[in-house]
Amino acid sequence: MYERETDQLQKIIDDSSRIVFFGGAGVSTESGIPDFRSADGIYHQKYKYSPEQVVSHTFFMRYPEAFYEFYKDKMMCLDAKPNAAHLKLAELERAGKLTAVVTQNIDGLHQAAGSRTVWELHGSIHRNYCMECGRFYDAQYVKHADGVPRCECGGLIKPDVVLYEEGLDQNVIRGAVEAIAAADTLIIGGTSLVVYPAAGFIDYFRGKHLVVINKSSTGRSVRAELSISAPIGEVMSGLHV
């Protein structure tokens, strides 16, 4: 299944030396992490508040108990393991083919698979800081804290995750844009390209090959040389490095 598309993708990879992968939630669904916008994603589940409300800066500051109840339950999937897509991307980097991963995900699975150059546009659940003294706490501490996680100094601990109403980290933006601008091939995978400003980053690509791998159609009309409507892990696992 998908042999013809995989063969085409293989030829593109063989012809490339500076691949950048731009990915979203669909990369991690095969690891058991729910996405936000698919038919069975978080946005279609019933809560007292919408997910967009809950993961906003205002909500976090005003209702930290409700925020953490949702966040720990739905966004901290600490038992998830890298899937075939994560592993293949790490393999491509080790082989000198892939220069960077730009991800909208916060799960850290690219690093767990062995990827070294990863630009996390929306932060990571694995970094958490006290808002008073700045002390670092890992994901296990936050996940298993009773209710709202607090620092030893008493301060509120905040995940290093970009919430709605917050801006992206300027250093991350710069790194992601420079990587995309220097790429000869851009592979977009597992994203509907509807979340801005992240979705606009692909406009910086001026390379030779543009590939989209996504189960559903993307929110933006991109002029891809190759478009594959399939689970990304299935496609990537068929590639040879």
Side-chain angles (χ1 to χ4, degrees):
M1 202 170 183
Y2 312 118
E3 287 91 350
R4 184 176 61 83
E5 293 92 341
T6 303
D7 286 346
Q8 288 179 266
L9 180 56
Q10 184 69 60
K11 289 175 183 173
I12 289 172
I13 287 173
D14 292 343
D15 186 47
S16 307
S17 59
R18 295 187 312 281
I19 301 168
V20 168
F21 179 81
F22 183 99
V27 179
S28 294
T29 52
E30 290 169 74
S31 294
I33 297 179
D35 69 357
F36 267 58
R37 290 178 173 78
S38 69
D40 55 352
I42 290 174
Y43 272 99
H44 294 270
Q45 299 175 18
K46 289 182 169 61
Y47 288 93
K48 183 179 178 182
Y49 303 99
S50 74
E52 271 183 329
Q53 282 179 290
V54 177
V55 293
S56 69
H57 180 82
T58 297
F59 192 94
F60 171 77
M61 297 302 296
R62 192 173 294 167
Y63 309 111
E65 296 88 357
F67 170 87
Y68 268 113
E69 183 181 1
F70 177 88
Y71 180 76
K72 291 180 189 180
D73 184 40
K74 293 297 178 184
M75 300 179 73
M76 297 191 79
C77 304
L78 301 189
D79 294 330
K81 298 289 188 288
N83 61 51
H86 298 107
L87 295 170
K88 186 61 66 174
L89 290 166
E91 188 181 348
L92 285 166
E93 184 184 42
R94 287 193 298 272
K97 283 280 190 179
L98 184 138
T99 57
V101 169
V102 180
T103 181
Q104 298 174 82
N105 297 339
I106 60 174
D107 50 48
L109 290 181
H110 285 293
Q111 291 92 330
S115 289
R116 298 171 70 88
T117 304
V118 182
W119 298 105
E120 296 174 308
L121 298 178
H122 298 151
S124 172
I125 62 170
H126 297 284
R127 298 186 300 270
N128 306 274
Y129 300 96
C130 172
M131 297 183 74
E132 295 295 326
C133 71
R135 180 171 176 173
F136 170 85
Y137 289 89
D138 64 15
Q140 292 288 346
Y141 181 90
V142 171
K143 178 84 169 179
H144 300 297
D146 186 19
V148 177
R150 295 277 177 181
C151 178
E152 290 183 4
C153 78
L156 174 64
I157 295 173
K158 182 184 181 297
D160 188 18
V161 168
V162 180
L163 303 176
Y164 287 106
E165 304 166 348
E166 295 179 344
L168 304 188
D169 182 279
Q170 291 301 308
N171 290 329
V172 174
I173 290 175
R174 188 179 306 110
V177 167
E178 288 177 356
I180 291 170
D184 58 8
T185 293
L186 179 63
I187 301 174
I188 301 168
T191 175
S192 55
L193 293 177
V194 297
V195 177
Y196 280 82
F201 282 32
I202 65 170
D203 294 335
Y204 292 95
F205 177 64
R206 294 290 182 270
K208 187 175 180 182
H209 304 292
L210 178 59
V211 178
V212 174
I213 309 169
N214 198 49
K215 285 202 291 187
S216 58
S217 60
T218 58
R220 284 174 48 113
S221 176
V222 295
R223 294 175 181 169
E225 173 184 344
L226 175 62
S227 184
I228 306 174
S229 298
I232 188 165
E234 287 187 36
V235 175
M236 299 293 283
S237 63
L239 298 174
H240 305 290
V241 177

